[in-house]
Amino acid sequence: AQSVSQHNHHVILSEAASLELGCNYSYGGTVNLFWYVQYPGQHLQLLLKYFSGDPLVKGIKGFEAEFIKSKFSFNLRKPSVQWSDTAEYFCAVKSRAGNMLTFGGGTRLMVKP
Amino acid sequence: EPEVTQTPSHQVTQMGQEVILRCVPISNHLYFYWYRQILGQKVEFLVSFYNNEISEKSEIFDDQFSVERPDGSNFTLKIRSTKLEDSAMYFCATSRDQGTYEQYFGPGTRLTVT
């Protein structure tokens, strides 16, 4: 069975600080990896995804993530956060052949202006 | 941009009652999913549905749950006899296909069982 761990439950940053949110997964086969974001009062939206190829993927709003296969990790980064990045961030994994997304527990990010 | 919509946004029901949660998928999407999130817990997969059949389901999706697409547009989740522990946010998601296609999520229905 696949599982996903997000190490930080709550993160508080000041504007312009750099962000890195950790995500590790457990699964023996080939996976697709995702980061979703949920802004206050809104639905889950896709930030970025990794299917194959370049392990450094770029998403919307200046976010990027790096897939490190040897570490089973897919950490999310942003060099300089803005107040509008305040949201909950979810890492998710899907087996290449299946449909089921397995989510991590989420990280609540608060960015102070 | 097309969106997945869900109704109602909030449903309160008594234990033992049946509820039906509704989702309108994005129009050219072929795969449909239900997930739930109990307060304070992870988002959990319930079921995926393709070509009028369940394609994958989790252990949570037991006999009290059912899904259908009765009129070719709405995709519904029925809970036959609700329990207190069914209280959660239920998310519908859809994708154009499986494999490398992303899943688009609706805003969720908050189900409260009293």
Side-chain angles (χ1 to χ4, degrees), chain B residues 59-104:
Chain B
E59 293 175 352
I60 303 168
F61 195 86
D62 61 21
D63 290 345
Q64 71 163 334
F65 292 95
S66 62
V67 289
E68 63 176 358
R69 202 171 180 219
D71 55 9
S73 60
N74 287 305
F75 175 53
T76 63
L77 173 70
K78 183 191 291 185
I79 309 175
R80 286 192 186 81
S81 178
T82 50
K83 304 174 207 169
L84 293 176
E85 54 264 37
D86 294 326
S87 294
M89 183 73 91
Y90 288 82
F91 295 103
C92 173
T94 73
S95 65
R96 193 180 305 175
D97 203 334
Q98 64 174 349
T100 59
Y101 289 93
E102 67 189 76
Q103 296 178 22
Y104 291 79

Side-chain angles (χ1 to χ4, degrees), chain A residues 32-96:
Chain A
N32 300 141
L33 297 156
F34 307 84
W35 276 96
Y36 281 86
V37 61
Q38 188 171 30
Y39 298 104
Q42 297 189 28
H43 57 277
L44 284 162
Q45 302 171 41
L46 185 70
L47 261 184
L48 48 79
K49 58 191 177 187
Y50 172 80
F51 291 134
S52 63
D54 189 344
L56 184 63
V57 293
K58 295 190 184 300
I60 61 172
K61 304 187 180 186
F63 286 90
E64 64 179 32
E66 185 175 13
F67 171 49
I68 303 179
K69 190 175 180 180
S70 60
K71 294 185 178 180
F72 297 90
S73 70
F74 190 57
N75 292 355
L76 180 72
R77 299 194 292 250
K78 185 171 184 178
S80 176
V81 294
Q82 300 172 310
W83 175 78
S84 57
D85 294 324
T86 294
E88 189 159 16
Y89 293 81
F90 296 90
C91 180
V93 64
K94 185 179 78 67
S95 70
R96 183 71 65 84

Side-chain angles (χ1 to χ4, degrees), chain B residues 11-86:
Chain B
Q11 171 96 45
V12 181
T13 190
Q14 289 190 326
M15 198 166 52
Q17 296 297 302
E18 174 183 287
V19 294
I20 297 176
L21 310 183
R22 291 183 169 80
C23 168
V24 177
I26 294 172
S27 63
N28 62 345
H29 285 192
L30 302 176
Y31 280 80
F32 315 114
Y33 314 85
W34 283 102
Y35 292 82
R36 79 173 184 190
Q37 185 178 28
I38 295 171
L39 189 63
Q41 298 187 25
K42 293 184 178 183
V43 176
E44 302 172 289
F45 171 80
L46 293 177
V47 66
S48 63
F49 188 82
Y50 170 72
N51 200 26
N52 286 317
E53 290 184 347
I54 290 173
S55 52
E56 195 172 355
K57 63 181 182 178
S58 71
E59 293 175 352
I60 303 168
F61 195 86
D62 61 21
D63 290 345
Q64 71 163 334
F65 292 95
S66 62
V67 289
E68 63 176 358
R69 202 171 180 219
D71 55 9
S73 60
N74 287 305
F75 175 53
T76 63
L77 173 70
K78 183 191 291 185
I79 309 175
R80 286 192 186 81
S81 178
T82 50
K83 304 174 207 169
L84 293 176
E85 54 264 37
D86 294 326

